[in-house]
Amino acid sequence: MSYEVDGVGSPATFEPGTSLLMTGTSMLTQQRLLDAVAPNDDERAIVITTNLDAGRVVEELEERGADREQIGVIDCTGQKTAVEETPVRQLSSPGDLTGISLEFAKLLDQSDEEESGPVRVGFASVSTALMYAELQTMFRFLHVFTARIRSGDMFGVFAMDPAMHEEKAHNTIRAVFDCEAKVADENVELRGTGFEQ
């Protein structure tokens, strides 16, 4: 089992348990992240969103070929959005990292009960969450979260806009991930481990 992924330049195959940091402007990385986490037929996608509301996330993934039953959303935008046939967990703030962890576990349990296949996880975006949480708190959260992705043979994609942070913050966050995709317009530079291109 591996994850076939678009949105990282040329198509790539990622090993189960890999976490990818996607860096670039928020608008570019948001679209590329949704490309990368759009589930194939036997997969599910769980998206943690801090900018787009749950309804938009579901619409975007449907445009990429996903069915609503394959999608779960943790909406941290503070906007209440009901989406039919898709489990949506509402949180009031992108800084509620404990809440994100708890709701993610619930969505995973739900997918396990349905005996679903592999799971793709999207987090858009780390930059927005960092506006609400301290750097070291975010680092610890991501360290635990990516370990969970690794142990569950999932595939994680996390968006970050380096221009919003000091270089120290970017380097600290980058250290958590197996690989990084630098997005600039049509060009994507992919480096690190856990994939083949």
Side-chain angles (χ1 to χ4, degrees):
M1 178 193 82
S2 57
Y3 294 88
E4 303 291 328
V5 177
D6 292 321
V8 288
S10 57
T13 304
F14 287 81
E15 296 170 6
T18 301
S19 288
L20 167 69
L21 180 64
M22 194 172 278
T23 55
T25 65
S26 296
M27 189 173 292
L28 283 175
T29 54
Q30 184 170 271
Q31 292 304 310
R32 295 279 187 167
L33 179 141
L34 291 166
D35 290 341
V37 300
N40 289 334
D41 289 345
D42 62 336
E43 299 174 345
R44 274 180 52 85
I46 297 175
V47 179
I48 299 149
T49 177
T50 62
N51 301 319
L52 284 183
D53 66 61
R56 283 284 310 283
V57 169
V58 171
E59 284 171 17
E60 293 270 1
L61 289 175
E62 282 184 312
E63 286 174 12
R64 290 161 172 81
D67 293 327
R68 291 187 173 215
E69 295 82 6
Q70 293 177 278
I71 304 166
V73 182
I74 300 171
D75 187 336
C76 307
T77 63
Q79 301 175 45
K80 299 278 189 229
T81 312
V83 184
E84 290 183 11
E85 300 173 49
T86 298
V88 176
R89 308 288 183 171
Q90 304 277 356
L91 294 174
S92 58
S93 165
D96 185 1
L97 303 180
T98 302
I100 290 172
S101 294
L102 291 171
E103 297 301 346
F104 180 72
K106 290 176 188 173
L107 286 174
L108 265 188
D109 287 345
Q110 188 171 332
S111 64
D112 287 345
E113 285 171 16
E114 294 163 9
E115 296 184 10
S116 69
V119 179
R120 298 179 188 232
V121 181
F123 192 115
S125 80
V126 172
S127 291
T128 305
L130 268 171
M131 294 167 67
Y132 296 82
E134 296 288 332
L135 177 59
Q136 286 306 315
T137 303
M138 193 72 199
F139 175 82
R140 286 193 297 272
F141 165 78
L142 290 171
H143 187 74
V144 172
F145 203 82
T146 55
R148 178 177 241 168
I149 287 170
R150 191 175 306 114
S151 65
D153 285 339
M154 295 175 265
F155 171 58
V157 187
F158 297 71
M160 183 177 188
D161 184 349
M164 292 174 63
H165 313 285
E166 294 179 1
E167 189 174 350
K168 177 191 173 187
H170 180 206
N171 289 336
T172 299
I173 297 300
R174 176 196 280 157
V176 176
F177 295 91
D178 303 297
C179 44
E180 180 176 4
K182 294 183 178 179
V183 181
D185 295 321
E186 294 304 307
N187 299 319
V188 180
E189 181 187 351
L190 189 56
R191 59 174 62 177
T193 61
F195 66 90
E196 289 181 7
Q197 220 171 2

